[in-house]
């Protein structure tokens, strides 16, 4: 089983701390848990949070020993991190663990030297500070998360869920990650390069949502879905539909449909032996040429190469965890 160690650096951001347990704890592989999650801190017991709460953390920093993935969640302490935490992170990285941060956890990784010469991100209000304090880090502002191989980082709050879903997908494929997203009522896929919702205009009333229309469309990806049909299902105009899609997903309706269709194709390539032409039809991309074009744009691989690479990665992952 893939072991995930979560490091709580006081004062912890309580919401961030719950995300890995929520996402990885819900990931089932072949009906069995895909991950074991343990949370540790330098001084086990009650740990201060950034608000008025305290959280109970039962384990120490030994949770990183033998962990496949180590995640540092958000913290209100962006100054000097506990040397014991930094030593534990350096040891985990040297042992081959995958290292990740959520929100201001990036400051801890940077202090450990694990972001030197790498791309990284953090919650947008702190991006400039991260870049100024750690000039050897290539800070990528206003993205949801950055995957730099064996070191990953995300923006704050829901972007931490996006990062964890990305890790599940990398480990176990689209079907498992999408099942977790459905349980969490989260957007199945938001890619790392998507912008953080920073200083934009205030959202419109939440009384109107396109969640039902998006769910309806997901069940019909293999059918033509023109804007007029989507607008009719949402009982609104095409203009309002487009505006609300941008507000709720950051994408236009047609762009969102394309991303969902490519994601469906990836899931079918991973989980089935269907010919590429049938994958294209069932995902709504129409033809093998269209599937090839969009998959090359997204991941840089042809459909057959993607299927082969995924299966090799899965076989290698089972070997490491065995």
């Amino acid at each position: 089983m893939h072991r995930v160690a979560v490091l709580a650096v006081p004062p912890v951001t309580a919401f961030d701390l719950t995300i890995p347990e929520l996402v990885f704890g819900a990931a089932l592989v072949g009906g069995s848990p895909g991950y074991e999650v343990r949370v540790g801190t330098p001084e086990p017991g009650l740990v201060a949070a950034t608000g008025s709460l305290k959280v109970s953390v039962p384990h120490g920093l030994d949770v990183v020993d033998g962990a496949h993935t180590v995640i540092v969640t958000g913290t209100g302490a962006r100054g000097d991190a506990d040397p014991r935490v930094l030593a534990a992170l350096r040891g985990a990285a040297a042992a081959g663990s995958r290292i990740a941060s959520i929100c201001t956890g990036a400051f801890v990784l940077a202090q450990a030297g694990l972001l030197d010469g790498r791309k990284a991100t953090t919650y947008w209000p702190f991006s400039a500070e991260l870049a100024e304090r750690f000039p050897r880090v290539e800070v990528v502002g206003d993205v949801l998360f950055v995957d730099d191989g064996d070191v990953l980082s995300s923006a704050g709050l829901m972007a931490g869920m996006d990062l964890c879903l990305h890790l599940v997908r990398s480990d176990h494929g689209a079907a498992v990650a999408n099942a977790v997203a459905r349980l969490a009522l989260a957007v199945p896929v938001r890619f790392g390069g998507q912008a953080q919702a920073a200083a934009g205009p205030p959202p419109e009333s939440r009384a109107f949502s396109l969640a039902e229309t998006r769910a309806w469309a997901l069940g019909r990806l293999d059918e033509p879905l023109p804007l007029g049909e989507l607008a009719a299902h949402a009982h609104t105009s095409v203009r309002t539909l487009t505006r609300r899609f941008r507000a709720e997903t950051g994408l236009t309706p047609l762009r969102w449909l394309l991303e969902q269709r490519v994601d469906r194709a990836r899931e079918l390539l991973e989980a089935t032996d269907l010919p590429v032409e049938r994958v294209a039809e069932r995902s709504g991309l129409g033809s093998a040429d269209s599937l090839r074009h969009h998959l090359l744009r997204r991941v840089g691989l042809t459909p057959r190469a993607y299927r082969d690479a995924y299966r090799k990665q899965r076989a290698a992952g089972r070997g490491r965890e065995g």
Side-chain angles (χ1 to χ4, degrees):
M1 187 183 298
H2 189 117
R3 289 184 53 197
V4 177
V6 181
L7 296 189
V9 179
V12 300
T13 304
F15 181 84
D16 291 354
L17 192 62
T18 66
I19 291 171
E21 196 91 54
L22 171 66
V23 173
F24 297 115
L28 298 180
V29 181
S32 299
Y35 298 89
E36 176 190 4
V37 182
R38 299 175 72 197
V39 182
T41 193
E43 299 291 340
L46 288 180
V47 174
T50 50
S52 60
L53 298 175
K54 288 190 175 182
V55 296
S56 179
V57 179
H59 303 293
L61 297 178
D62 57 340
V63 295
V64 306
D65 296 340
H68 301 92
T69 298
V70 178
I71 302 175
V72 181
T73 59
T75 173
R78 303 192 305 278
D80 293 335
D82 191 313
R84 293 172 292 180
V85 173
L86 301 182
L89 285 169
R90 293 180 186 122
S97 297
R98 179 173 60 186
I99 309 293
S101 65
I102 295 175
C103 194
T104 49
F107 284 82
V108 181
L109 298 194
Q111 291 179 59
L114 301 183
L115 299 182
D116 288 354
R118 292 180 177 270
K119 294 182 178 180
T121 194
T122 189
Y123 188 28
W124 66 267
F126 307 117
S127 293
E129 179 185 348
L130 184 66
E132 182 178 353
R133 285 181 55 193
F134 303 98
R136 296 185 65 185
V137 180
E138 185 179 344
V139 178
V140 183
D142 199 23
V143 295
L144 294 177
F145 62 85
V146 171
D147 182 341
D148 197 44
D150 54 352
V151 177
L152 304 92
S153 54
S154 82
L157 302 174
M158 292 307 297
M161 183 170 289
D162 295 319
L163 173 64
C164 290
L165 286 169
H166 171 72
L167 293 176
V168 172
R169 178 177 189 138
S170 298
D171 294 337
H172 299 295
V176 174
N178 289 345
V180 174
R182 285 192 291 271
L183 286 173
L185 298 180
V187 179
V189 177
R190 292 204 300 172
F191 299 97
Q194 188 170 325
Q196 299 177 37
E204 298 177 32
S205 169
R206 294 296 184 186
F208 179 75
S209 170
L210 293 172
E212 288 188 9
T213 296
R214 292 197 300 272
W216 174 82
L218 284 172
R220 295 164 174 79
L221 291 178
D222 59 338
E223 303 174 12
L225 290 172
L227 286 177
E229 192 169 340
L230 290 170
H233 184 274
H235 305 290
T236 189
S237 67
V238 169
R239 183 176 180 179
T240 299
L241 176 90
T242 301
R243 184 175 69 250
R244 289 304 308 161
F245 248 92
R246 283 190 177 276
E248 294 182 23
T249 71
L251 302 170
T252 66
L254 293 181
R255 181 68 179 185
W256 180 85
L257 278 173
L258 176 59
E259 299 293 353
Q260 303 310 311
R261 283 169 167 150
V262 174
D263 188 55
R264 178 66 55 80
R266 292 175 68 176
E267 183 174 336
L268 290 170
L269 288 168
E270 294 168 4
T272 75
D273 293 317
L274 287 172
V276 171
E277 292 78 7
R278 288 287 294 134
V279 170
E281 292 171 5
R282 288 182 55 176
S283 60
L285 291 171
S287 68
D289 285 344
S290 176
L291 170 56
R292 175 188 171 88
H293 169 77
H294 291 296
L295 200 62
L296 277 169
R297 175 188 58 83
R298 172 77 66 77
V299 299
L301 294 172
T302 66
R304 289 184 176 86
Y306 178 85
R307 176 176 270 164
D308 290 344
Y310 172 78
R311 291 178 177 176
K312 289 177 181 176
Q313 180 185 24
R314 290 288 298 117
R318 286 192 295 268
R320 285 194 304 269
E321 294 175 22

